[in-house]
Amino acid sequence: MALAIFFASLDQDTNLARKIVVIDDPVSSLDDHRTLSTVHEVCALAQRVTQVIVLSHSKPFLCALWEGTDPTLRSAFTLERATSGSTLRGWDVNQDLITDHDRRHALLRDYVHTAQGDRREVAEALRPSLEAFMRVAYPQYFTPGFLLGPFRGLCEQRVNTPDQILDQGDIDELRRLTDYANRFHHDSNPAYRTQAINDTELVDFARRTLAFTTR
Protein backbone atom coordinates (compact mmCIF):
# COMPACT_ATOMS: atom_id res chain seq x y z
CA MET A 1 0.00 0.00 0.00
CA ALA A 2 2.79 2.41 0.91
CA LEU A 3 4.50 1.78 -2.43
CA ALA A 4 1.24 2.33 -4.34
CA ILE A 5 0.68 5.62 -2.52
CA PHE A 6 4.25 6.67 -3.33
CA PHE A 7 3.75 6.05 -7.05
CA ALA A 8 0.38 7.82 -6.94
CA SER A 9 1.95 10.85 -5.26
CA LEU A 10 4.50 11.10 -8.07
CA ASP A 11 1.66 11.42 -10.56
CA GLN A 12 0.58 14.58 -8.77
CA ASP A 13 3.98 16.22 -9.13
CA THR A 14 3.82 18.77 -11.95
CA ASN A 15 7.61 19.07 -11.95
CA LEU A 16 8.23 15.32 -12.09
CA ALA A 17 10.34 15.39 -15.27
CA ARG A 18 13.08 17.30 -13.44
CA LYS A 19 13.16 15.08 -10.38
CA ILE A 20 15.56 12.37 -9.20
CA VAL A 21 13.55 9.59 -7.56
CA VAL A 22 15.12 7.27 -4.98
CA ILE A 23 13.30 3.99 -4.29
CA ASP A 24 14.57 2.02 -1.29
CA ASP A 25 13.93 -1.75 -1.23
CA PRO A 26 10.48 -1.64 -2.87
CA VAL A 27 9.91 -5.42 -2.81
CA SER A 28 10.99 -6.18 0.76
CA SER A 29 7.39 -6.67 1.91
CA LEU A 30 5.73 -7.68 -1.35
CA ASP A 31 4.28 -11.02 -2.40
CA ASP A 32 6.22 -12.67 -5.23
CA HIS A 33 3.51 -12.00 -7.81
CA ARG A 34 3.79 -8.23 -7.14
CA THR A 35 7.47 -8.08 -8.04
CA LEU A 36 7.01 -8.04 -11.82
CA SER A 37 4.41 -5.28 -11.55
CA THR A 38 6.89 -3.25 -9.51
CA VAL A 39 9.57 -3.76 -12.17
CA HIS A 40 7.14 -2.48 -14.80
CA GLU A 41 6.24 0.57 -12.71
CA VAL A 42 9.87 1.48 -12.06
CA CYS A 43 10.81 1.08 -15.73
CA ALA A 44 7.89 3.30 -16.75
CA LEU A 45 8.88 5.87 -14.14
CA ALA A 46 12.42 5.99 -15.52
CA GLN A 47 11.01 7.37 -18.76
CA ARG A 48 9.33 10.28 -16.95
CA VAL A 49 11.99 11.61 -14.61
CA THR A 50 15.61 12.78 -14.76
CA GLN A 51 16.92 9.75 -12.88
CA VAL A 52 15.74 6.79 -10.82
CA ILE A 53 17.94 5.27 -8.13
CA VAL A 54 16.79 1.87 -6.84
CA LEU A 55 18.27 0.27 -3.72
CA SER A 56 17.45 -3.33 -2.87
CA HIS A 57 18.67 -6.47 -1.12
CA SER A 58 16.84 -8.61 -3.69
CA LYS A 59 19.22 -9.66 -6.47
CA PRO A 60 16.45 -11.31 -8.58
CA PHE A 61 14.43 -8.09 -8.48
CA LEU A 62 17.42 -5.97 -9.49
CA CYS A 63 18.32 -8.39 -12.29
CA ALA A 64 14.75 -8.21 -13.62
CA LEU A 65 14.88 -4.44 -13.43
CA TRP A 66 18.21 -4.43 -15.28
CA GLU A 67 16.79 -6.53 -18.10
CA GLY A 68 13.79 -4.23 -18.46
CA THR A 69 15.69 -0.95 -18.81
CA ASP A 70 17.51 0.76 -21.67
CA PRO A 71 21.09 -0.59 -21.84
CA THR A 72 22.42 2.85 -22.76
CA LEU A 73 20.86 4.57 -19.75
CA ARG A 74 21.57 2.24 -16.84
CA SER A 75 24.37 1.64 -14.35
CA ALA A 76 24.67 -0.84 -11.51
CA PHE A 77 26.68 -0.74 -8.31
CA THR A 78 27.10 -3.01 -5.33
CA LEU A 79 28.03 -2.18 -1.75
CA GLU A 80 30.84 -4.47 -0.61
CA ARG A 81 32.74 -4.91 2.62
CA ALA A 82 36.16 -3.28 2.60
CA THR A 83 39.11 -3.44 4.99
CA SER A 84 37.51 -0.61 6.91
CA GLY A 85 33.80 -0.09 6.40
CA SER A 86 32.24 -0.56 2.97
CA THR A 87 32.89 0.54 -0.58
CA LEU A 88 30.82 1.08 -3.72
CA ARG A 89 31.89 -0.94 -6.75
CA GLY A 90 30.57 -1.48 -10.24
CA TRP A 91 28.32 -4.54 -10.51
CA ASP A 92 28.42 -6.76 -13.60
CA VAL A 93 24.76 -7.74 -13.58
CA ASN A 94 25.10 -9.86 -16.70
CA GLN A 95 27.39 -12.24 -14.83
CA ASP A 96 24.71 -12.75 -12.18
CA LEU A 97 22.16 -13.45 -14.91
CA ILE A 98 24.20 -16.48 -16.01
CA THR A 99 22.69 -19.62 -14.49
CA ASP A 100 24.48 -22.68 -13.15
CA HIS A 101 23.26 -24.55 -16.23
CA ASP A 102 24.87 -21.91 -18.47
CA ARG A 103 28.17 -22.32 -16.62
CA ARG A 104 28.08 -26.12 -16.80
CA HIS A 105 27.28 -26.03 -20.50
CA ALA A 106 30.17 -23.63 -21.14
CA LEU A 107 32.44 -25.89 -19.07
CA LEU A 108 31.60 -28.90 -21.26
CA ARG A 109 31.99 -26.91 -24.49
CA ASP A 110 35.39 -25.57 -23.47
CA TYR A 111 36.61 -29.03 -22.51
CA VAL A 112 35.45 -30.63 -25.75
CA HIS A 113 36.48 -27.90 -28.16
CA THR A 114 39.55 -26.30 -26.55
CA ALA A 115 40.76 -28.94 -24.05
CA GLN A 116 40.34 -26.36 -21.28
CA GLY A 117 38.94 -27.09 -17.82
CA ASP A 118 39.36 -29.32 -14.82
CA ARG A 119 38.54 -32.96 -15.62
CA ARG A 120 36.73 -33.65 -12.38
CA GLU A 121 34.60 -30.51 -12.64
CA VAL A 122 33.64 -31.51 -16.17
CA ALA A 123 32.79 -35.06 -15.11
CA GLU A 124 30.68 -33.82 -12.19
CA ALA A 125 28.83 -31.41 -14.52
CA LEU A 126 27.47 -34.18 -16.77
CA ARG A 127 24.55 -35.39 -14.68
CA PRO A 128 23.32 -31.91 -13.62
CA SER A 129 23.47 -30.87 -17.30
CA LEU A 130 21.25 -33.77 -18.29
CA GLU A 131 18.82 -33.08 -15.43
CA ALA A 132 18.59 -29.37 -16.26
CA PHE A 133 17.86 -30.18 -19.90
CA MET A 134 15.08 -32.59 -18.95
CA ARG A 135 13.49 -29.97 -16.69
CA VAL A 136 13.24 -27.58 -19.64
CA ALA A 137 12.50 -30.03 -22.43
CA TYR A 138 10.02 -32.24 -20.55
CA PRO A 139 8.70 -30.19 -17.61
CA GLN A 140 5.42 -32.12 -17.41
CA TYR A 141 7.31 -35.39 -16.90
CA PHE A 142 10.62 -34.39 -15.31
CA THR A 143 9.24 -32.45 -12.36
CA PRO A 144 11.43 -30.85 -9.62
CA GLY A 145 13.20 -33.55 -7.63
CA PHE A 146 12.62 -36.21 -10.29
CA LEU A 147 15.61 -38.42 -11.14
CA LEU A 148 16.95 -39.63 -14.47
CA GLY A 149 16.39 -43.31 -13.63
CA PRO A 150 12.64 -43.05 -13.00
CA PHE A 151 12.33 -40.73 -15.99
CA ARG A 152 13.90 -43.35 -18.24
CA GLY A 153 11.52 -45.92 -16.81
CA LEU A 154 8.57 -43.70 -17.69
CA CYS A 155 9.94 -43.23 -21.19
CA GLU A 156 10.33 -47.00 -21.59
CA GLN A 157 6.69 -47.53 -20.67
CA ARG A 158 5.54 -45.11 -23.36
CA VAL A 159 7.71 -46.19 -26.29
CA ASN A 160 5.63 -46.73 -29.46
CA THR A 161 2.49 -45.33 -27.83
CA PRO A 162 0.64 -42.07 -28.59
CA ASP A 163 2.20 -40.68 -25.37
CA GLN A 164 5.81 -41.49 -26.30
CA ILE A 165 8.35 -39.14 -24.72
CA LEU A 166 11.68 -40.44 -26.10
CA ASP A 167 12.23 -43.10 -28.74
CA GLN A 168 14.18 -46.22 -27.88
CA GLY A 169 17.42 -44.91 -29.37
CA ASP A 170 17.31 -41.80 -27.18
CA ILE A 171 16.45 -43.85 -24.12
CA ASP A 172 19.41 -46.13 -24.72
CA GLU A 173 21.75 -43.16 -25.16
CA LEU A 174 20.38 -41.49 -22.04
CA ARG A 175 21.03 -44.68 -20.08
CA ARG A 176 24.63 -44.83 -21.28
CA LEU A 177 25.21 -41.15 -20.49
CA THR A 178 23.63 -41.51 -17.06
CA ASP A 179 25.61 -44.65 -16.20
CA TYR A 180 28.84 -42.80 -16.90
CA ALA A 181 27.79 -39.55 -15.20
CA ASN A 182 26.71 -41.45 -12.07
CA ARG A 183 30.31 -42.40 -11.41
CA PHE A 184 30.94 -38.79 -10.50
CA HIS A 185 27.81 -38.04 -8.47
CA HIS A 186 27.53 -38.40 -4.70
CA ASP A 187 24.05 -39.99 -4.84
CA SER A 188 25.25 -42.99 -6.81
CA ASN A 189 28.94 -43.35 -5.94
CA PRO A 190 30.22 -42.65 -2.40
CA ALA A 191 33.77 -42.60 -3.79
CA TYR A 192 32.92 -40.16 -6.60
CA ARG A 193 35.67 -37.74 -5.51
CA THR A 194 38.37 -40.32 -6.15
CA GLN A 195 36.86 -42.00 -9.22
CA ALA A 196 39.54 -42.31 -11.90
CA ILE A 197 38.97 -40.22 -15.03
CA ASN A 198 40.23 -41.12 -18.50
CA ASP A 199 40.51 -38.05 -20.71
CA THR A 200 39.54 -39.80 -23.96
CA GLU A 201 36.48 -41.34 -22.35
CA LEU A 202 35.46 -38.07 -20.69
CA VAL A 203 35.74 -36.11 -23.94
CA ASP A 204 33.52 -38.68 -25.65
CA PHE A 205 30.81 -38.52 -22.98
CA ALA A 206 31.02 -34.75 -22.70
CA ARG A 207 30.55 -34.44 -26.48
CA ARG A 208 27.62 -36.85 -26.41
CA THR A 209 26.04 -35.03 -23.47
CA LEU A 210 26.28 -31.75 -25.38
CA ALA A 211 24.71 -33.37 -28.42
CA PHE A 212 21.88 -34.82 -26.34
CA THR A 213 21.13 -31.53 -24.57
CA THR A 214 21.28 -29.24 -27.61
CA ARG A 215 18.93 -31.07 -29.96
Side-chain angles (χ1 to χ4, degrees):
M1 182 64 72
L3 184 61
I5 292 173
F6 172 71
F7 280 123
S9 68
L10 293 177
D11 289 335
Q12 307 304 312
D13 191 332
T14 58
N15 201 29
L16 184 62
R18 300 178 61 185
K19 295 295 179 65
I20 295 175
V21 179
V22 179
I23 303 176
D24 185 12
D25 227 358
V27 296
S28 61
S29 300
L30 293 182
D31 296 331
D32 288 344
H33 68 283
R34 304 289 185 191
T35 301
L36 182 58
S37 296
T38 304
V39 168
H40 291 163
E41 289 293 335
V42 174
C43 290
L45 178 64
Q47 306 300 315
R48 303 167 57 202
V49 300
T50 298
Q51 185 178 32
V52 174
I53 299 173
V54 181
L55 310 173
S56 180
H57 293 93
S58 173
K59 187 177 291 185
F61 168 71
L62 292 175
C63 286
L65 192 60
W66 179 261
E67 290 186 299
T69 50
D70 186 338
T72 66
L73 301 175
R74 66 191 183 190
S75 296
F77 300 90
T78 181
L79 194 64
E80 296 182 350
R81 184 175 65 85
T83 304
S84 177
S86 302
T87 187
L88 201 62
R89 300 186 189 279
W91 175 28
D92 188 350
V93 184
N94 292 325
Q95 284 300 310
D96 275 306
L97 290 171
I98 297 174
T99 67
D100 288 340
H101 179 60
D102 296 328
R103 293 187 179 91
R104 287 191 295 265
H105 210 272
L107 181 67
L108 298 185
R109 293 197 309 271
D110 288 345
Y111 192 74
V112 169
H113 299 304
T114 67
Q116 300 296 312
D118 179 87
R119 290 183 185 180
R120 193 157 302 278
E121 288 183 3
V122 172
E124 291 177 5
L126 296 175
R127 179 168 149 177
S129 294
L130 290 167
E131 291 171 337
F133 171 74
M134 296 307 173
R135 282 287 299 121
V136 174
Y138 308 102
Q140 69 273 45
Y141 306 118
F142 202 87
T143 54
F146 210 50
L147 299 177
L148 291 171
F151 176 71
R152 289 199 317 271
L154 178 62
C155 293
E156 290 274 12
Q157 295 172 15
R158 298 192 177 191
V159 170
N160 297 325
T161 73
D163 296 323
Q164 176 173 296
I165 304 170
L166 297 176
D167 63 29
Q168 191 60 55
D170 284 338
I171 294 172
D172 292 341
E173 177 67 351
L174 180 58
R175 177 180 291 104
R176 289 187 285 265
L177 294 175
T178 305
D179 286 347
Y180 180 78
N182 280 345
R183 299 183 190 177
F184 310 100
H185 196 275
H186 61 86
D187 282 350
S188 49
N189 181 10
Y192 75 103
R193 286 290 189 185
T194 57
Q195 176 72 45
I197 302 174
N198 177 275
D199 176 68
T200 302
E201 187 178 40
L202 178 58
V203 169
D204 177 55
F205 277 97
R207 182 181 291 112
R208 289 160 60 185
T209 298
L210 286 172
F212 196 95
T213 59
T214 54
R215 294 176 299 165

